Amino acid sequence: MKNIIKIVTIACVMLLMSCNNGVSLQRYFVDHQGDADFIAVDLATSLLDARTREVQLSEEEREALESIKKVNFLAMPLKDENKARYEEEKEKINTILNANKYETLMRFGSNGTKAVLKFQGDEDNIDEMIVFASNKERGLALVRVLGDDMKPENIAKLMDAIDKGNVDMGAIKDILGEVKID
């Protein structure tokens, strides 16, 4: 009987220790949805589906698009009155992203903008991709792409097609409406 009590006690302690009291990226997005300093947009890829049916996508590009389930976008345009908060929020996001559950795929930057691309899952089948960019003159942006078994090479092909103008981004522009980040 004493062994059962010890085992149950150890299991409870391990369970409590495994709970993370830190802020998750999901919690960060939820907490900042109604914040006046932030612009928040959530896109389900089903909203883009009707638009992209008319576009000629390769099999890999279509597979990449279908593997994406949801895109969360959060931005904090920099203004004189929120410069101190900008630094605080940037630090909070970096703390969340530096958690062990996210792996860095690449870091890049130019013209005062620093960005990092992180992911969760394994390198061949990504379940979550995060892009975090900050600029001391413009503000910060955080993009979270949720999906099922996203393949990096297919996502890269889809991004290339978007960059070349082969994919009509009118659906996203319609959804964002009059939102201006600069």
Side-chain angles (χ1 to χ4, degrees):
M1 185 67 165
K2 288 182 181 183
N3 287 339
I4 293 174
I5 293 173
K6 284 181 185 179
I7 291 172
V8 170
T9 303
I10 290 171
C12 288
V13 168
M14 289 175 59
L15 181 64
L16 289 173
M17 289 175 66
S18 69
C19 293
N20 184 0
N21 290 333
V23 177
S24 69
L25 194 58
Q26 173 67 25
R27 170 76 4 218
Y28 188 85
F29 271 92
V30 170
D31 288 347
H32 292 82
Q33 287 286 320
D35 193 316
D37 285 338
F38 284 83
I39 298 166
V41 178
D42 294 328
L43 297 172
T45 54
S46 60
L47 295 172
L48 303 175
D49 192 40
R51 273 282 208 353
T52 57
R53 286 185 190 169
E54 303 163 6
V55 177
Q56 295 295 326
L57 295 176
S58 72
E59 186 175 324
E60 292 88 3
E61 292 165 348
R62 175 119 358 244
E63 183 180 327
L65 185 62
E66 289 172 358
S67 72
I68 298 170
K69 301 301 177 207
K70 187 175 183 179
V71 178
N72 304 118
F73 174 80
L74 191 64
M76 180 183 184
L78 195 58
K79 301 172 187 165
D80 288 335
E81 60 270 10
N82 69 2
K83 285 185 180 182
R85 185 168 182 205
Y86 161 81
E87 292 297 333
E88 292 172 15
E89 297 301 330
K90 188 170 97 170
E91 186 61 36
K92 286 179 189 176
I93 294 169
N94 279 323
T95 300
I96 294 168
L97 295 181
N98 288 332
N100 289 335
K101 77 182 223 178
Y102 298 110
E103 295 199 41
T104 301
L105 191 57
M106 78 169 84
R107 292 182 183 278
F108 49 96
S110 68
N111 300 325
T113 300
K114 294 180 182 177
V116 63
L117 175 60
K118 295 198 171 232
F119 72 95
Q120 185 178 16
D122 64 58
E123 292 178 12
D124 295 326
N125 293 304
I126 296 173
D127 295 319
E128 180 178 3
M129 286 191 315
I130 297 101
V131 178
F132 174 51
S134 63
N135 181 298
K136 289 185 178 187
E137 294 177 12
R138 299 184 72 197
L140 59 84
L142 186 61
V143 180
R144 181 177 182 223
V145 180
L146 300 170
D148 291 324
D149 298 327
M150 295 181 286
K151 293 181 176 42
E153 63 274 7
N154 290 353
I155 297 292
K157 288 177 185 176
L158 179 61
M159 293 294 117
D160 189 45
I162 290 169
D163 190 42
K164 290 179 180 174
N166 296 342
V167 176
D168 179 13
M169 297 305 289
I172 292 175
K173 290 176 187 169
D174 292 346
I175 293 166
L176 292 177
E178 296 297 315
V179 174
K180 295 204 184 339
I181 296 175
D182 358 56

